[in-house]
Amino acid sequence: MVDRDYTGRLAAILSTGTIFNSHLRDKNREISRAKTHTFFRTSIRDLFFASLIFLLCISLLWGCGNDVQDVSTAGYSNTGSASLTIQWHDTQYFQNSAALQISLNCQASGIEHVVCNVYDTSTGTLLVTGGPWDCEAHSGAIKGIPVGQDRTFVLLAEDFNGNVKWRGEVTGVTIIAGQNNENVGVDAYRFIPFLIFPNNGDIVDPNVFSIEWEPCVNAVEYIVQVAKDVDFYDIVIDQTTPGLTYEPAILIPSTEYYWKISAIDLYANIGAESETRHFITSDCTYSISSTNKTISSSGGTGRFNVSTSSTICEWYAEANATWVTITSEPSGIGDGTLTYTVSPNTGDSRTAVINIVDQTHTVSQDPALGSLKVTIYPPEAV
């Protein structure tokens, strides 16, 4: 006979075990789901960071391998590189002297950075820009240069405002795909004009004078600025010229002026400004002793005196007709005398003018003399 109390306790134990096992299975499922969620969340996070690191490495490799600014290339198979050796020269024009090479003190020279533009020589197209570099290193490297045999390297040592203080150029450089050209030597010269005339404080004739300066290597034009103040707020002349002189035409007598020059190369790179000098225009006035003269048809000579208000006042005489020839010096400083000759006239009356600054001397010539032929007939009547 089965003990009912034992049977009841056994049933209770089994029931409790079933409940415990069911609870344990539920707990295991919950833990399993949590682990699965954590696994996927961790995997996605790790994948994100791995991708980020991969992209960062790629960008670092590209940045470290390419020191060219604002340049996109079709691929390394179409580009090469070059290593530059720079020689600095303490002059603004070329001289065959190794003694002019200097170790440039960038800070004392006001140089902010050094860059090098590479151009297609035949078209003048900018291909790449290398740098900036430390100018005291005397060297630099450029990558990503399109292949070709006609590359021009233009080295620019610039100040804080981007004005070129030293400039060098070498043409005909060959770039081979995937190779580095290590034979690019650049001679850099001062790209700042040296002023010649007038000097500080010179008194000049506003009617007849020119300002002058020395050339810069590879400059094709020069910017001429003349102002009434040292800060160049009141600028009266701001022109470009390909020459090394400039004749101002609008200056006022008895006025102080300031002037400076800048150079421009073929690629529109503007050099730093020269020193500023000042000069004073004199109060020059002119007069002549005779304003007209009449010459006979057979020709003749003439003369008149030129008077100026100062011994520094310059003048120049010019006749507007070929039959009037100035026989004395056509120009002078201060007072002077001008002489001329007039050729015989074989036609109608004529007029010419001799100009001296703001004065005019008129030459008039009589017409050729007429002739009369008389025939007497019969001859015996003669």
Side-chain angles (χ1 to χ4, degrees):
M1 183 175 183
V2 180
D3 189 341
R4 294 183 176 180
D5 294 336
Y6 171 77
T7 302
R9 287 196 302 273
L10 181 59
I13 291 173
L14 292 175
S15 176
T16 302
T18 300
I19 295 172
F20 175 79
N21 289 336
S22 177
H23 178 72
L24 184 60
R25 284 195 301 271
D26 294 339
K27 190 65 175 178
N28 287 338
R29 292 193 190 99
E30 182 179 347
I31 294 173
S32 177
R33 283 195 300 271
K35 287 182 176 181
T36 301
H37 178 72
T38 302
F39 171 78
F40 280 106
R41 183 174 60 187
T42 303
S43 299
I44 292 173
R45 181 190 62 192
D46 292 344
L47 180 60
F48 171 79
F49 281 111
S51 300
L52 183 61
I53 292 173
F54 175 78
L55 293 175
L56 180 61
C57 290
I58 291 298
S59 63
L60 287 174
L61 288 174
W62 172 252
C64 294
N66 185 4
D67 62 353
V68 181
Q69 301 173 345
D70 300 325
V71 175
S72 61
T73 60
Y76 289 108
S77 61
N78 296 323
T79 63
S81 59
S83 297
L84 277 64
T85 301
I86 306 169
Q87 294 180 336
W88 304 101
H89 297 261
D90 194 19
T91 178
Q92 71 274 14
Y93 55 91
F94 176 77
Q95 291 184 350
N96 292 319
S97 175
L100 292 174
Q101 298 179 18
I102 61 172
S103 179
L104 188 63
N105 185 327
C106 298
Q107 184 175 3
S109 301
I111 295 177
E112 181 71 14
H113 58 261
V114 176
V115 298
C116 185
N117 294 330
V118 182
Y119 298 89
D120 183 304
T121 304
S122 60
T123 65
T125 303
L126 176 62
L127 301 176
V128 296
T129 298
W133 307 305
D134 180 1
C135 69
E136 296 178 353
H138 299 273
S139 62
I142 307 176
K143 299 179 181 179
I145 307 173
V147 299
Q149 298 181 349
D150 58 345
R151 302 301 178 233
T152 295
F153 287 67
V154 177
L155 184 82
L156 306 173
E158 301 175 336
D159 62 15
F160 183 78
N161 295 319
N163 297 315
V164 181
K165 305 198 73 171
W166 260 264
R167 184 191 183 282
E169 180 175 326
V170 58
T171 60
V173 178
T174 298
I175 300 298
I176 301 175
Q179 297 186 20
N180 181 55
N181 189 332
E182 299 180 353
N183 300 314
V184 182
V186 182
D187 290 293
Y189 299 88
R190 285 172 56 87
F191 204 56
I192 305 174
F194 178 79
L195 307 184
I196 299 178
F197 180 82
N199 292 308
N200 280 325
D202 280 356
I203 300 176
V204 301
D205 178 2
N207 299 290
V208 187
F209 100 101
S210 61
I211 57 180
E212 305 172 17
W213 59 92
E214 289 186 351
C216 293
V217 175
N218 294 126
V220 296
E221 280 189 315
Y222 297 89
I223 301 174
V224 180
Q225 289 186 311
V226 179
K228 291 183 178 180
D229 63 300
V230 69
D231 295 319
F232 283 79
Y233 291 125
D234 189 3
I235 296 177
V236 295
I237 296 175
D238 189 0
Q239 299 290 331
T240 59
T241 176
L244 300 175
T245 62
Y246 184 85
E247 297 182 5
I250 58 173
L251 301 185
I252 302 172
S254 301
T255 304
E256 185 175 30
Y257 289 96
Y258 298 83
W259 67 289
K260 59 186 178 182
I261 308 293
S262 302
I264 308 175
D265 70 5
L266 180 64
Y267 307 101
N269 297 303
I270 300 177
E273 296 172 345
S274 68
E275 64 170 313
T276 297
R277 289 186 181 180
H278 68 95
F279 60 86
I280 301 171
T281 55
S282 65
D283 187 12
C284 288
T285 58
Y286 301 87
S287 63
I288 56 178
S289 59
S290 173
T291 59
N292 60 81
K293 185 176 180 63
T294 300
I295 304 293
S296 67
S297 61
S298 60
T301 62
R303 62 180 293 158
F304 57 88
N305 297 325
V306 179
S307 300
T308 65
S309 59
S310 172
T311 57
I312 68 165
C313 294
E314 300 181 27
W315 52 269
Y316 179 79
E318 184 177 21
N320 68 348
T322 57
W323 50 274
V324 176
T325 302
I326 296 175
T327 55
S328 62
E329 285 294 330
S331 62
I333 302 177
D335 297 345
T337 299
L338 188 131
T339 61
Y340 61 91
T341 60
V342 177
S343 301
N345 187 8
T346 59
D348 297 333
S349 61
R350 54 188 180 179
T351 303
V353 172
I354 299 176
N355 294 295
I356 298 181
V357 191
D358 57 351
Q359 301 293 309
T360 58
H361 177 82
T362 303
V363 179
S364 301
Q365 189 173 27
D366 295 332
L369 295 176
S371 61
L372 177 65
K373 182 178 181 180
V374 178
T375 302
I376 300 177
Y377 186 83
E380 293 80 3
V382 177

